[in-house]
Amino acid sequence: MSARRIAAIARRIAQQFRRDRRSLALLIVAPIAVLALLGYVIRDEKPINTRLGIVSLGGPADAPIQAALNAAATQAGVPVVDVGTDAASGRAAVQAGRADVVIVLPANLASGVATVQLITLGEAPADDGARLQIVAGLIERAATQGPRLTIEHETIYGSASADILDTFAPALIGFFGFFFVFVLTGISFLRERTGGTLERLLATPVRRSEIVVGYSAGFGFFATVQVALILLFALGSLSVPRIGPVGSFEVGLGIANAGSPLLAFVVIFLTAIGAVNLAIFLSTFARTELQILEFIPIVIVPQALLGGVFWSVDSLPDPVQAVARLLPMTHAIDGLRAVLLRGAGMSDGTLQIDIAFLAGVAILFVVLAGATIRREIA
Amino acid sequence: MGTGGPAGPATEPAGPAIETHGLRKVFGAIAAVDGIDISFPAGRIYGLLGPNGSGKTTLIRLMAGLAVATSGSVTVLGTRMPSRPLLARIGYMTQSDGLYSELSVWENLSFFAAMSGQPDVTAMAEILDVVELGDRRGRPILQLSGGMRRRLSLACALVHRPTVVFLDEPTVGVDPVLRYHLWDHFRRLATAGTTLVVSSHVMDEGDRCDELVLIRSGRVLAMGNGAEIRRQAGTADLESAFLKLSGVPTRGDSQ
Ligand SMILES: Nc1ncnc2c1ncn2[C@@H]1O[C@H](COP(=O)(O)OP(=O)(O)OP(=O)(O)O)[C@@H](O)[C@H]1O
Ligand SMILES: [Mg+2]
């Protein structure tokens, strides 16, 4: 393979992008705009109401703080409901929908440091998050003097630390990493086939492998920039101070990322390389640009539905699950969730499987793409 | 450039630059090229003349190694085609322009130069002057006229100074003055030892070639220079010679 020819192909793709600002904008601005919109919708939604239950395990010794909590709740307009006298009855009340948040005051409250347990349903993490913020404020106000309280969050369903955006963002990053690169490469390579430039290219001593690698490098570069910016936006959080009439605001979603952004990048990069080469391969089966768009319901939508964007793969019926596990998007999303939510590192077994699978898919599609670029086009 | 340097010995093989034997290419029920035997010595201009669909493009693609023959063989510069390394010494101008429309004139030229071998800025500037696009280097292709695109397409096929050149209707849409200059350039290349195969259905270009091959339905109707073909057909010009050889009754034709 000639590095010079590969570089020439990659550079040409960059030049074409430079002239086609709209596609470049689509690649970068569109995913960030969608993420931002989603973040806004999810985060700024107001919870309908917060019905508070208080359970005291410490008996009469807790009376002062319980009274202080009641007072703070009344002051804040938070209704307090009766949920019984132990943690189990508190949980039952939350599960039955009689209370939204139950505070469990521990038995050893008087003795220095104590842990207060907050119980929520965990079905709508965004609502829970907002309610917890309110309740934490109440606790802070009620416990101005006395023991230092740490808060522990327990949910009936789901995991306590996630908000919807946290679980949704890795899925969207995986989806965008695949989608835009797929569409742009597909159309670009189709034009190469129909516009006569591929014929011309094949009349030079270029190798098929150089074309495929050059394309992967050219589109891979833009996919890299795209993904890096999306990750930066999703994970970062930058406070922009007030400038004149423009109020202060936050840039970035500040999504909790437990793991290494670099590892997240590896996952998404492999996904994008697979998408570039799948698009080259499938462009053989399209005659027009419109037919490339027709691949979206065939290639993209099933992956979005089965890959874990909207519901987890584990919740799918068994036969469907088996299919889902063969889709690159499933592993991209699973890998990103493992890294970003669970903080998985390279020693993590499922992440290893995801990365190995994505690398395998990328190699398979590179080979398939190479096979469709034949000197004999007819 | 890796292992893929130009193939073939440093000294030219003594045989013809291009040779075909019983060359056939079948698409379904149609034989686009139906048994063609030619032998083209180097350093001359060969014209492929024939009506639409006669098989000119298919024959060129077979000779350039872009299509695989159904049967028969093609040898270029002593190498059996298709041969990827030999493509470094072949220039092919496709019938459609095959240019990247977002890129500028210069970017297109340097891209194809890089694909064909080591890009040479002097050669690039020279060939742009030949096709009279030297003052339009920075123009995007979208802003060029049809004839200008055709000229750039020609430049892209010649930029790496190939030894064997296939030009599929290179002068379509090119104005008469520039057409005249281009044929002068083709002649200069041939004099310097380049072998050119030029397809056309404009018969008046036939007399610019050293040898003509008239094709119809994938078969050779006649071969020879313009004068020989006119004599063979007994007509005053190539156009009527072609019509007569095709069996089309022409004015003053007793058949
Ligand atoms: N890829 C293909 N698949 C099927 N048939 C083809 C293909 N390419 C060419 N043909 C057929 O082969 C025949 C010769 O076509 P070709 O393009 O070689 O003609 P041509 O002499 O170059 O015509 P023109 O003057 O219009 O360029 C035509 O009948 C054409 O329909
Ligand atoms: Mg043709």
Side-chain angles (χ1 to χ4, degrees), chain A residues 4-5 8-9 12 15-16 18-19 191-192 195-197 199-207 375-378, chain B residues 1 3 25 27 61 66-68 84 87 92 94 97-103 107 111-112 114-117 153:
Chain A
R4 184 176 45 74
R5 277 200 290 255
I9 293 173
R12 194 208 77 219
Q15 286 167 337
Q16 285 176 300
R18 225 175 58 214
R19 301 286 148 69
R191 289 176 56 200
E192 194 102 63
T197 50
E199 164 104 338
R200 232 199 157 133
L201 209 52
L202 292 176
T204 72
V206 72
R207 285 184 169 80
R375 288 225 144 67
E376 161 88 2
I377 299 173
Chain B
M1 67 187 285
T3 54
K25 177 71 179 179
F27 295 110
R61 296 187 71 234
L66 283 161
V68 177
R84 189 190 59 79
L87 292 175
Y92 174 32
T94 47
D97 288 333
L99 301 168
Y100 295 100
S101 53
E102 300 93 339
L103 301 193
E107 285 164 346
F111 176 69
F112 285 110
M115 289 300 113
S116 304
S153 179

CSV table of all heavy atoms in Angstrom, one decimal, chain A residues 4-5 8-9 12 15-16 18-19 191-192 195-197 199-207 375-378, chain B residues 1 3 25 27 61 66-68 84 87 92 94 97-103 107 111-112 114-117 153:
chain,number,residue,atom,x,y,z
A,4,ARG,N,1.2,7.6,0.3
A,4,ARG,CA,1.0,8.8,-0.4
A,4,ARG,C,-0.4,8.8,-1.1
A,4,ARG,O,-1.1,9.8,-1.0
A,4,ARG,CB,2.1,9.0,-1.5
A,4,ARG,CG,2.1,10.3,-2.2
A,4,ARG,CD,3.3,10.4,-3.1
A,4,ARG,NE,3.5,9.2,-3.9
A,4,ARG,CZ,2.7,8.8,-4.9
A,4,ARG,NH1,1.7,9.5,-5.2
A,4,ARG,NH2,3.0,7.7,-5.5
A,5,ARG,N,-0.7,7.7,-1.7
A,5,ARG,CA,-2.0,7.6,-2.4
A,5,ARG,C,-3.1,7.7,-1.4
A,5,ARG,O,-4.2,8.3,-1.6
A,5,ARG,CB,-2.1,6.4,-3.3
A,5,ARG,CG,-1.4,6.6,-4.6
A,5,ARG,CD,-1.9,5.6,-5.6
A,5,ARG,NE,-1.4,4.3,-5.3
A,5,ARG,CZ,-0.4,3.7,-6.0
A,5,ARG,NH1,0.1,4.3,-7.0
A,5,ARG,NH2,0.0,2.5,-5.7
A,8,ALA,N,-3.6,11.1,-0.3
A,8,ALA,CA,-4.2,11.9,-1.3
A,8,ALA,C,-5.7,11.7,-1.3
A,8,ALA,O,-6.5,12.7,-1.5
A,8,ALA,CB,-3.6,11.6,-2.7
A,9,ILE,N,-6.1,10.5,-1.1
A,9,ILE,CA,-7.6,10.2,-1.1
A,9,ILE,C,-8.2,10.9,0.1
A,9,ILE,O,-9.2,11.6,0.0
A,9,ILE,CB,-7.9,8.7,-1.1
A,9,ILE,CG1,-7.4,8.1,-2.4
A,9,ILE,CG2,-9.4,8.4,-0.9
A,9,ILE,CD1,-7.5,6.6,-2.5
A,12,ARG,N,-8.4,14.6,-0.4
A,12,ARG,CA,-9.4,14.9,-1.3
A,12,ARG,C,-10.8,15.0,-0.6
A,12,ARG,O,-11.6,15.9,-0.8
A,12,ARG,CB,-9.4,14.0,-2.5
A,12,ARG,CG,-10.2,14.5,-3.7
A,12,ARG,CD,-10.8,13.3,-4.4
A,12,ARG,NE,-11.9,12.8,-3.7
A,12,ARG,CZ,-12.2,11.5,-3.7
A,12,ARG,NH1,-11.4,10.6,-4.2
A,12,ARG,NH2,-13.3,11.1,-3.0
A,15,GLN,N,-11.0,18.1,1.3
A,15,GLN,CA,-11.2,19.3,0.4
A,15,GLN,C,-12.7,19.3,0.0
A,15,GLN,O,-13.3,20.4,0.0
A,15,GLN,CB,-10.3,19.2,-0.8
A,15,GLN,CG,-8.9,19.5,-0.6
A,15,GLN,CD,-8.0,19.0,-1.7
A,15,GLN,OE1,-8.4,18.2,-2.5
A,15,GLN,NE2,-6.8,19.6,-1.8
A,16,GLN,N,-13.3,18.2,-0.3
A,16,GLN,CA,-14.7,18.2,-0.7
A,16,GLN,C,-15.6,18.7,0.5
A,16,GLN,O,-16.5,19.4,0.3
A,16,GLN,CB,-15.1,16.8,-1.1
A,16,GLN,CG,-14.6,16.4,-2.5
A,16,GLN,CD,-14.9,15.0,-2.9
A,16,GLN,OE1,-14.5,14.1,-2.2
A,16,GLN,NE2,-15.6,14.8,-4.0
A,18,ARG,N,-14.6,20.7,2.8
A,18,ARG,CA,-14.4,22.1,3.0
A,18,ARG,C,-15.3,22.9,2.0
A,18,ARG,O,-15.8,24.0,2.4
A,18,ARG,CB,-12.9,22.4,2.7
A,18,ARG,CG,-12.3,23.4,3.7
A,18,ARG,CD,-10.8,23.5,3.5
A,18,ARG,NE,-10.6,24.1,2.1
A,18,ARG,CZ,-9.5,23.8,1.4
A,18,ARG,NH1,-8.6,22.9,1.9
A,18,ARG,NH2,-9.3,24.3,0.2
A,19,ARG,N,-15.6,22.4,0.9
A,19,ARG,CA,-16.4,23.1,-0.1
A,19,ARG,C,-17.9,22.8,0.2
A,19,ARG,O,-18.7,23.5,-0.3
A,19,ARG,CB,-16.2,22.6,-1.5
A,19,ARG,CG,-14.8,22.8,-2.0
A,19,ARG,CD,-14.5,24.2,-2.3
A,19,ARG,NE,-13.1,24.6,-2.0
A,19,ARG,CZ,-12.1,24.1,-2.7
A,19,ARG,NH1,-12.3,23.4,-3.7
A,19,ARG,NH2,-10.9,24.4,-2.4
A,191,ARG,N,-21.7,8.6,-5.5
A,191,ARG,CA,-21.3,9.6,-6.5
A,191,ARG,C,-20.0,9.2,-7.2
A,191,ARG,O,-19.8,9.5,-8.4
A,191,ARG,CB,-21.2,11.0,-5.9
A,191,ARG,CG,-22.6,11.5,-5.5
A,191,ARG,CD,-22.5,12.8,-4.8
A,191,ARG,NE,-21.8,13.8,-5.6
A,191,ARG,CZ,-21.3,14.9,-5.1
A,191,ARG,NH1,-21.3,15.2,-3.8
A,191,ARG,NH2,-20.7,15.8,-5.9
A,192,GLU,N,-19.1,8.6,-6.5
A,192,GLU,CA,-17.9,8.2,-7.0
A,192,GLU,C,-18.2,7.1,-8.1
A,192,GLU,O,-17.5,7.1,-9.2
A,192,GLU,CB,-17.0,7.6,-5.9
A,192,GLU,CG,-15.6,7.4,-6.2
A,192,GLU,CD,-14.7,8.5,-5.7
A,192,GLU,OE1,-14.6,8.7,-4.4
A,192,GLU,OE2,-14.1,9.2,-6.5
A,195,GLY,N,-20.6,8.9,-11.0
A,195,GLY,CA,-20.0,10.1,-11.6
A,195,GLY,C,-18.8,9.8,-12.5
A,195,GLY,O,-18.2,10.7,-13.0
A,196,GLY,N,-18.4,8.6,-12.5
A,196,GLY,CA,-17.3,8.2,-13.4
A,196,GLY,C,-15.9,8.4,-12.8
A,196,GLY,O,-14.9,8.1,-13.4
A,197,THR,N,-15.9,9.0,-11.6
A,197,THR,CA,-14.5,9.2,-10.9
A,197,THR,C,-14.0,7.9,-10.4
A,197,THR,O,-12.7,7.7,-10.4
A,197,THR,CB,-14.6,10.2,-9.8
A,197,THR,OG1,-15.7,9.8,-8.9
A,197,THR,CG2,-14.9,11.6,-10.3
A,199,GLU,N,-14.3,5.0,-11.9
A,199,GLU,CA,-13.8,4.3,-13.1
A,199,GLU,C,-12.4,4.9,-13.4
A,199,GLU,O,-11.5,4.2,-13.8
A,199,GLU,CB,-14.8,4.6,-14.3
A,199,GLU,CG,-14.2,4.4,-15.7
A,199,GLU,CD,-14.7,3.1,-16.3
A,199,GLU,OE1,-15.1,2.2,-15.6
A,199,GLU,OE2,-14.6,3.0,-17.5
A,200,ARG,N,-12.3,6.2,-13.3
A,200,ARG,CA,-11.1,6.9,-13.6
A,200,ARG,C,-10.0,6.5,-12.6
A,200,ARG,O,-8.8,6.3,-12.9
A,200,ARG,CB,-11.4,8.4,-13.3
A,200,ARG,CG,-11.0,9.1,-14.3
A,200,ARG,CD,-10.8,10.5,-14.3
A,200,ARG,NE,-9.9,10.7,-15.4
A,200,ARG,CZ,-10.1,11.6,-16.3
A,200,ARG,NH1,-11.1,12.4,-16.2
A,200,ARG,NH2,-9.3,11.7,-17.3
A,201,LEU,N,-10.4,6.4,-11.3
A,201,LEU,CA,-9.5,6.1,-10.2
A,201,LEU,C,-9.0,4.7,-10.5
A,201,LEU,O,-7.8,4.4,-10.3
A,201,LEU,CB,-10.4,6.1,-8.9
A,201,LEU,CG,-9.7,6.4,-7.6
A,201,LEU,CD1,-8.9,7.7,-7.7
A,201,LEU,CD2,-10.8,6.5,-6.5
A,202,LEU,N,-9.9,3.8,-10.9
A,202,LEU,CA,-9.5,2.4,-11.2
A,202,LEU,C,-8.6,2.3,-12.4
A,202,LEU,O,-8.0,1.2,-12.6
A,202,LEU,CB,-10.7,1.5,-11.2
A,202,LEU,CG,-11.5,1.4,-9.9
A,202,LEU,CD1,-12.7,0.5,-10.1
A,202,LEU,CD2,-10.6,0.8,-8.8
A,203,ALA,N,-8.5,3.3,-13.2
A,203,ALA,CA,-7.6,3.3,-14.4
A,203,ALA,C,-6.2,3.7,-14.0
A,203,ALA,O,-5.3,3.8,-14.8
A,203,ALA,CB,-8.2,4.2,-15.5
A,204,THR,N,-6.0,4.0,-12.7
A,204,THR,CA,-4.7,4.3,-12.2
A,204,THR,C,-4.2,3.1,-11.4
A,204,THR,O,-5.0,2.2,-11.1
A,204,THR,CB,-4.7,5.6,-11.2
A,204,THR,OG1,-5.3,5.2,-10.0
A,204,THR,CG2,-5.5,6.7,-11.8
A,205,PRO,N,-2.9,3.1,-11.1
A,205,PRO,CA,-2.4,1.9,-10.4
A,205,PRO,C,-2.8,1.8,-8.9
A,205,PRO,O,-2.2,1.0,-8.2
A,205,PRO,CB,-0.9,2.0,-10.6
A,205,PRO,CG,-0.6,3.4,-10.9
A,205,PRO,CD,-1.8,3.9,-11.5
A,206,VAL,N,-3.8,2.5,-8.5
A,206,VAL,CA,-4.2,2.5,-7.1
A,206,VAL,C,-4.8,1.1,-6.8
A,206,VAL,O,-5.3,0.4,-7.6
A,206,VAL,CB,-5.3,3.6,-6.9
A,206,VAL,CG1,-6.7,3.2,-7.5
A,206,VAL,CG2,-5.5,3.8,-5.4
A,207,ARG,N,-4.5,0.7,-5.5
A,207,ARG,CA,-5.0,-0.6,-5.0
A,207,ARG,C,-6.3,-0.4,-4.4
A,207,ARG,O,-6.6,0.7,-3.8
A,207,ARG,CB,-4.0,-1.2,-4.0
A,207,ARG,CG,-2.8,-1.7,-4.5
A,207,ARG,CD,-2.0,-2.3,-3.3
A,207,ARG,NE,-0.9,-3.1,-3.8
A,207,ARG,CZ,0.3,-2.6,-4.1
A,207,ARG,NH1,0.5,-1.3,-4.1
A,207,ARG,NH2,1.3,-3.4,-4.5
A,375,ARG,N,-12.0,-3.6,-10.5
A,375,ARG,CA,-11.7,-3.0,-11.8
A,375,ARG,C,-12.8,-3.3,-12.8
A,375,ARG,O,-13.2,-2.5,-13.6
A,375,ARG,CB,-10.3,-3.4,-12.2
A,375,ARG,CG,-9.2,-2.9,-11.4
A,375,ARG,CD,-8.0,-2.3,-12.2
A,375,ARG,NE,-7.5,-1.1,-11.6
A,375,ARG,CZ,-6.8,-1.2,-10.4
A,375,ARG,NH1,-6.7,-2.3,-9.7
A,375,ARG,NH2,-6.4,0.0,-9.9
A,376,GLU,N,-13.2,-4.5,-12.8
A,376,GLU,CA,-14.3,-4.9,-13.6
A,376,GLU,C,-15.6,-4.4,-13.0
A,376,GLU,O,-16.1,-5.0,-12.1
A,376,GLU,CB,-14.3,-6.4,-13.8
A,376,GLU,CG,-15.6,-7.0,-14.2
A,376,GLU,CD,-15.7,-7.2,-15.7
A,376,GLU,OE1,-14.7,-6.8,-16.4
A,376,GLU,OE2,-16.7,-7.6,-16.2
A,377,ILE,N,-16.1,-3.3,-13.4
A,377,ILE,CA,-17.3,-2.7,-12.8
A,377,ILE,C,-18.6,-3.3,-13.4
A,377,ILE,O,-19.5,-3.6,-12.7
A,377,ILE,CB,-17.3,-1.2,-12.9
A,377,ILE,CG1,-16.1,-0.6,-12.2
A,377,ILE,CG2,-18.6,-0.6,-12.3
A,377,ILE,CD1,-15.9,0.9,-12.5
A,378,ALA,N,-18.5,-3.5,-14.7
A,378,ALA,CA,-19.7,-4.1,-15.3
A,378,ALA,C,-20.0,-5.5,-14.9
A,378,ALA,O,-19.1,-6.2,-14.6
A,378,ALA,CB,-19.5,-4.0,-16.8
B,1,MET,N,6.6,4.4,-3.7
B,1,MET,CA,5.3,3.9,-4.1
B,1,MET,C,5.2,2.4,-3.9
B,1,MET,O,4.6,1.6,-4.7
B,1,MET,CB,4.8,4.3,-5.4
B,1,MET,CG,5.6,3.8,-6.6
B,1,MET,SD,5.0,4.6,-8.1
B,1,MET,CE,3.4,3.9,-8.3
B,3,THR,N,5.6,-1.5,-3.7
B,3,THR,CA,6.2,-2.4,-4.7
B,3,THR,C,5.5,-2.2,-6.1
B,3,THR,O,5.9,-2.8,-7.1
B,3,THR,CB,5.9,-3.9,-4.3
B,3,THR,OG1,4.4,-4.0,-4.1
B,3,THR,CG2,6.6,-4.3,-3.1
B,25,LYS,N,-16.4,-9.5,-25.7
B,25,LYS,CA,-17.0,-9.1,-24.4
B,25,LYS,C,-18.5,-9.2,-24.6
B,25,LYS,O,-19.1,-8.5,-25.4
B,25,LYS,CB,-16.6,-7.7,-24.0
B,25,LYS,CG,-17.2,-7.2,-22.7
B,25,LYS,CD,-16.7,-7.9,-21.5
B,25,LYS,CE,-17.3,-7.4,-20.2
B,25,LYS,NZ,-16.8,-8.2,-19.0
B,27,PHE,N,-22.3,-8.9,-22.9
B,27,PHE,CA,-23.2,-8.5,-21.8
B,27,PHE,C,-24.5,-9.2,-22.1
B,27,PHE,O,-25.3,-8.7,-23.0
B,27,PHE,CB,-23.4,-7.0,-21.8
B,27,PHE,CG,-22.2,-6.2,-21.5
B,27,PHE,CD1,-21.6,-5.4,-22.5
B,27,PHE,CD2,-21.6,-6.1,-20.3
B,27,PHE,CE1,-20.5,-4.7,-22.3
B,27,PHE,CE2,-20.5,-5.4,-20.0
B,27,PHE,CZ,-19.9,-4.6,-21.0
B,61,ARG,N,-12.1,0.0,-22.7
B,61,ARG,CA,-12.1,-0.5,-21.3
B,61,ARG,C,-11.4,-1.9,-21.2
B,61,ARG,O,-10.7,-2.1,-20.2
B,61,ARG,CB,-13.5,-0.6,-20.7
B,61,ARG,CG,-14.2,0.8,-20.6
B,61,ARG,CD,-15.5,0.7,-19.8
B,61,ARG,NE,-15.3,0.5,-18.4
B,61,ARG,CZ,-15.8,-0.5,-17.7
B,61,ARG,NH1,-16.6,-1.4,-18.3
B,61,ARG,NH2,-15.5,-0.7,-16.5
B,66,LEU,N,-9.9,-2.4,-17.6
B,66,LEU,CA,-11.0,-2.1,-16.7
B,66,LEU,C,-12.1,-3.0,-16.8
B,66,LEU,O,-13.0,-3.0,-16.0
B,66,LEU,CB,-11.5,-0.6,-16.9
B,66,LEU,CG,-10.5,0.4,-16.4
B,66,LEU,CD1,-10.8,1.7,-17.0
B,66,LEU,CD2,-10.7,0.5,-14.9
B,67,ALA,N,-12.1,-3.8,-17.8
B,67,ALA,CA,-13.1,-4.9,-18.0
B,67,ALA,C,-12.4,-6.1,-18.3
B,67,ALA,O,-11.3,-6.1,-18.9
B,67,ALA,CB,-14.1,-4.5,-19.1
B,68,VAL,N,-13.0,-7.2,-17.9
B,68,VAL,CA,-12.3,-8.5,-18.1
B,68,VAL,C,-13.0,-9.2,-19.4
B,68,VAL,O,-14.2,-9.2,-19.5
B,68,VAL,CB,-12.5,-9.5,-16.9
B,68,VAL,CG1,-11.9,-10.8,-17.2
B,68,VAL,CG2,-11.8,-8.8,-15.7
B,84,ARG,N,-2.5,-4.3,-12.9
B,84,ARG,CA,-2.6,-3.1,-12.1
B,84,ARG,C,-1.3,-2.2,-12.2
B,84,ARG,O,-1.4,-1.0,-12.5
B,84,ARG,CB,-2.9,-3.4,-10.6
B,84,ARG,CG,-3.2,-2.2,-9.8
B,84,ARG,CD,-3.2,-2.5,-8.3
B,84,ARG,NE,-2.0,-3.1,-7.8
B,84,ARG,CZ,-0.9,-2.3,-7.6
B,84,ARG,NH1,-1.0,-1.0,-7.7
B,84,ARG,NH2,0.2,-2.9,-7.2
B,87,LEU,N,-0.9,0.1,-15.2
B,87,LEU,CA,-1.7,1.3,-15.3
B,87,LEU,C,-1.0,2.6,-15.0
B,87,LEU,O,-1.4,3.6,-15.4
B,87,LEU,CB,-2.9,1.1,-14.3
B,87,LEU,CG,-3.9,0.0,-14.6
B,87,LEU,CD1,-5.0,-0.1,-13.5
B,87,LEU,CD2,-4.6,0.3,-16.0
B,92,TYR,N,-6.1,7.2,-19.3
B,92,TYR,CA,-7.4,6.8,-19.8
B,92,TYR,C,-8.3,8.0,-19.5
B,92,TYR,O,-8.5,8.4,-18.4
B,92,TYR,CB,-7.9,5.6,-19.1
B,92,TYR,CG,-9.3,5.2,-19.4
B,92,TYR,CD1,-9.9,5.5,-20.6
B,92,TYR,CD2,-10.1,4.5,-18.4
B,92,TYR,CE1,-11.2,5.1,-20.9
B,92,TYR,CE2,-11.4,4.1,-18.7
B,92,TYR,CZ,-12.0,4.4,-19.9
B,92,TYR,OH,-13.3,4.1,-20.2
B,94,THR,N,-12.0,9.0,-19.7
B,94,THR,CA,-13.3,8.4,-19.8
B,94,THR,C,-14.3,9.2,-20.7
B,94,THR,O,-14.1,10.4,-20.8
B,94,THR,CB,-13.9,8.1,-18.4
B,94,THR,OG1,-13.8,9.3,-17.7
B,94,THR,CG2,-13.2,7.0,-17.7
B,97,ASP,N,-17.0,12.9,-17.9
B,97,ASP,CA,-15.8,13.7,-17.4
B,97,ASP,C,-15.1,13.1,-16.2
B,97,ASP,O,-13.9,13.2,-16.1
B,97,ASP,CB,-16.3,15.1,-17.1
B,97,ASP,CG,-16.5,15.9,-18.4
B,97,ASP,OD1,-16.0,15.4,-19.5
B,97,ASP,OD2,-17.3,16.8,-18.4
B,98,GLY,N,-15.9,12.5,-15.3
B,98,GLY,CA,-15.2,11.9,-14.1
B,98,GLY,C,-14.3,12.8,-13.3
B,98,GLY,O,-13.2,12.5,-13.1
B,99,LEU,N,-14.9,14.0,-12.9
B,99,LEU,CA,-14.1,14.9,-12.1
B,99,LEU,C,-14.9,15.1,-10.8
B,99,LEU,O,-16.1,14.9,-10.7
B,99,LEU,CB,-14.0,16.2,-12.9
B,99,LEU,CG,-13.3,16.2,-14.2
B,99,LEU,CD1,-13.5,17.5,-15.0
B,99,LEU,CD2,-11.8,15.9,-14.1
B,100,TYR,N,-14.2,15.6,-9.8
B,100,TYR,CA,-14.8,15.9,-8.5
B,100,TYR,C,-15.4,17.3,-8.6
B,100,TYR,O,-14.6,18.3,-8.6
B,100,TYR,CB,-13.8,15.7,-7.4
B,100,TYR,CG,-13.4,14.3,-7.2
B,100,TYR,CD1,-12.2,13.8,-7.8
B,100,TYR,CD2,-14.3,13.3,-6.6
B,100,TYR,CE1,-11.8,12.5,-7.7
B,100,TYR,CE2,-13.9,12.0,-6.6
B,100,TYR,CZ,-12.7,11.6,-7.1
B,100,TYR,OH,-12.4,10.3,-7.0
B,101,SER,N,-16.7,17.5,-8.5
B,101,SER,CA,-17.2,18.8,-8.9
B,101,SER,C,-17.0,19.8,-7.8
B,101,SER,O,-17.0,21.0,-8.1
B,101,SER,CB,-18.7,18.6,-9.2
B,101,SER,OG,-19.4,18.0,-8.1
B,102,GLU,N,-16.8,19.4,-6.5
B,102,GLU,CA,-16.5,20.4,-5.5
B,102,GLU,C,-15.1,20.9,-5.6
B,102,GLU,O,-14.8,22.0,-5.1
B,102,GLU,CB,-16.7,19.8,-4.1
B,102,GLU,CG,-18.1,19.3,-3.8
B,102,GLU,CD,-18.2,17.8,-4.1
B,102,GLU,OE1,-17.3,17.3,-4.9
B,102,GLU,OE2,-19.1,17.2,-3.5
B,103,LEU,N,-14.2,20.1,-6.1
B,103,LEU,CA,-12.8,20.5,-6.1
B,103,LEU,C,-12.5,21.5,-7.3
B,103,LEU,O,-13.2,21.6,-8.2
B,103,LEU,CB,-11.9,19.3,-6.3
B,103,LEU,CG,-12.0,18.2,-5.2
B,103,LEU,CD1,-10.9,17.2,-5.3
B,103,LEU,CD2,-12.1,18.7,-3.8
B,107,GLU,N,-6.9,21.1,-7.9
B,107,GLU,CA,-7.0,20.0,-6.9
B,107,GLU,C,-7.4,18.7,-7.7
B,107,GLU,O,-6.9,17.6,-7.3
B,107,GLU,CB,-8.1,20.3,-5.9
B,107,GLU,CG,-7.7,21.3,-4.9
B,107,GLU,CD,-8.8,22.0,-4.1
B,107,GLU,OE1,-10.0,21.9,-4.5
B,107,GLU,OE2,-8.5,22.6,-3.1
B,111,PHE,N,-4.9,15.5,-7.7
B,111,PHE,CA,-5.4,14.2,-7.2
B,111,PHE,C,-5.1,13.1,-8.1
B,111,PHE,O,-4.5,12.1,-7.7
B,111,PHE,CB,-6.9,14.3,-6.9
B,111,PHE,CG,-7.5,13.0,-6.4
B,111,PHE,CD1,-7.1,12.5,-5.1
B,111,PHE,CD2,-8.3,12.3,-7.2
B,111,PHE,CE1,-7.6,11.3,-4.7
B,111,PHE,CE2,-8.8,11.0,-6.8
B,111,PHE,CZ,-8.5,10.5,-5.5
B,112,PHE,N,-5.5,13.3,-9.4
B,112,PHE,CA,-5.3,12.2,-10.3
B,112,PHE,C,-3.8,11.9,-10.6
B,112,PHE,O,-3.3,10.8,-10.8
B,112,PHE,CB,-6.0,12.4,-11.6
B,112,PHE,CG,-7.5,12.1,-11.5
B,112,PHE,CD1,-8.4,13.2,-11.5
B,112,PHE,CD2,-8.0,10.8,-11.2
B,112,PHE,CE1,-9.8,12.9,-11.3
B,112,PHE,CE2,-9.3,10.6,-11.0
B,112,PHE,CZ,-10.2,11.6,-11.1
B,114,ALA,N,-1.5,12.3,-8.3
B,114,ALA,CA,-1.0,11.5,-7.1
B,114,ALA,C,-1.5,10.0,-7.3
B,114,ALA,O,-0.7,9.1,-6.8
B,114,ALA,CB,-1.6,12.1,-5.9
B,115,MET,N,-2.6,9.8,-7.8
B,115,MET,CA,-3.1,8.4,-8.0
B,115,MET,C,-2.2,7.7,-9.0
B,115,MET,O,-2.0,6.5,-8.9
B,115,MET,CB,-4.5,8.4,-8.4
B,115,MET,CG,-5.5,8.8,-7.4
B,115,MET,SD,-5.4,7.8,-5.9
B,115,MET,CE,-4.8,8.9,-4.7
B,116,SER,N,-1.8,8.4,-10.0
B,116,SER,CA,-1.1,7.7,-11.1
B,116,SER,C,0.4,7.6,-10.9
B,116,SER,O,1.1,6.8,-11.6
B,116,SER,CB,-1.3,8.5,-12.4
B,116,SER,OG,-2.6,8.7,-12.7
B,117,GLY,N,0.9,8.3,-9.9
B,117,GLY,CA,2.4,8.2,-9.7
B,117,GLY,C,2.8,9.4,-8.9
B,117,GLY,O,2.0,10.0,-8.1
B,153,SER,N,-10.5,17.0,-18.1
B,153,SER,CA,-10.6,15.6,-18.0
B,153,SER,C,-9.4,15.0,-18.9
B,153,SER,O,-8.7,14.1,-18.5
B,153,SER,CB,-11.9,15.1,-18.6
B,153,SER,OG,-12.0,13.7,-18.6
